[in-house]
Amino acid sequence: MLQKNISISISRAVISGFFLLISSIVFAQQPKRVVVLSDSLPTFRGVQVMVDLVGPIQRAVSDYGQYEAAVKANFKGKYFPVIEVGYGMADHSSDAVTNNSYKSKGVYGRVGMDLNVLKNKDDDYRFYVGARYAYTNYQFDVANEAIKDPVWKDDAHVLVENNKASQHWAELVAGVDAKIWGALHLGWSLRYKRRLTHKDSEIGKSWYVPGYGLAGDTRLGATFQVIIEL
């Protein structure tokens, strides 16, 4: 009887120990959730250097486009002040309304801030919203071959070159930044652009505004950026 009780006690101890061991292994393998508080992060966390691919593709398949690069600083994984600079150009062969042809080129710049709205500021992914102030000072040429000479009644070729114009505008931005491998990131953004002021040349408005797009009060745009995070 004593041996039976000892055997039962040992069996219970073995079973209890087995379940305790399994429980320890299971709980040990559970991923530990680490919540990174923004206050615990260093203030300055690096710089991103990026180039946009949408502008060159747009230039290759249409009458206008731009080449653009940007530098963005990272503060606490939440605040991202940014500077964007680019060179825009257009070569529009004809306009159905005015019969004009346009060529324009110019440098533009934007300054602004993005805000990472995800809770975990140390994640490999960021979703941000932001705003930009932008300005360009550019030149454009206008040609028209459909004007009749009032005396000889022949087609007269009109070419007005180096017309100067400028524009200020604002942008609202929403985008995603995703880490791909190491320092390589890819980013996407959508932009709503609103013209603030525009200084036209003496002959009127231009067809294209560098960095802004086709002339108008508002414009939608997008970027696809290759990013190196330093």
Side-chain angles (χ1 to χ4, degrees), residues 29-181:
Q29 291 180 344
Q30 291 293 325
K32 295 181 179 180
R33 185 176 180 182
V34 178
V35 178
V36 180
L37 300 177
S38 60
D39 291 341
S40 67
L41 297 174
T43 299
F44 179 70
R45 306 203 64 208
V47 173
Q48 292 181 326
V49 180
M50 60 196 76
V51 294
D52 174 47
L53 299 184
V54 171
I57 295 174
Q58 189 178 40
R59 181 69 185 96
V61 301
S62 69
D63 293 344
Y64 65 96
Q66 60 275 336
Y67 301 94
E68 181 176 305
V71 176
K72 181 185 291 187
N74 181 348
F75 291 95
K76 287 188 171 293
K78 183 177 182 179
Y79 304 102
F80 294 83
V82 59
I83 298 175
E84 301 169 338
V85 293
Y87 183 79
M89 63 197 76
D91 188 355
H92 183 58
S93 58
S94 64
D95 185 90
V97 178
T98 63
N99 293 316
N100 290 333
S101 297
Y102 295 90
K103 290 185 178 182
S104 59
K105 57 185 178 180
V107 176
Y108 62 90
R110 306 187 193 96
V111 294
M113 174 79 75
D114 289 335
L115 178 68
N116 180 13
V117 298
L118 294 184
K119 186 174 182 180
N120 187 354
K121 306 306 180 186
D122 204 36
D123 201 347
D124 290 338
Y125 302 91
R126 302 178 183 121
F127 178 76
Y128 60 85
V129 294
R132 305 282 189 276
Y133 163 76
Y135 173 76
T136 182
N137 192 322
Y138 62 101
Q139 295 181 343
F140 67 97
D141 305 334
V142 180
N144 192 314
E145 299 183 0
I147 297 178
K148 293 292 184 180
D149 186 288
V151 178
W152 304 104
K153 306 302 180 182
D154 295 330
D155 289 340
H157 178 73
V158 176
L159 175 61
V160 184
E161 297 181 302
N162 299 324
N163 299 284
K164 295 183 179 181
S166 62
Q167 179 166 303
H168 301 255
W169 73 94
E171 298 184 6
L172 297 179
V173 182
V176 175
D177 177 338
K179 181 178 179 179
I180 304 302
W181 178 78

Side-chain angles (χ1 to χ4, degrees), residues 4-21:
K4 183 177 180 180
N5 291 335
I6 293 173
S7 177
I8 293 173
S9 299
I10 293 174
S11 299
R12 289 177 178 177
V14 170
I15 293 173
S16 300
F18 175 76
F19 280 109
L20 181 61
L21 177 61

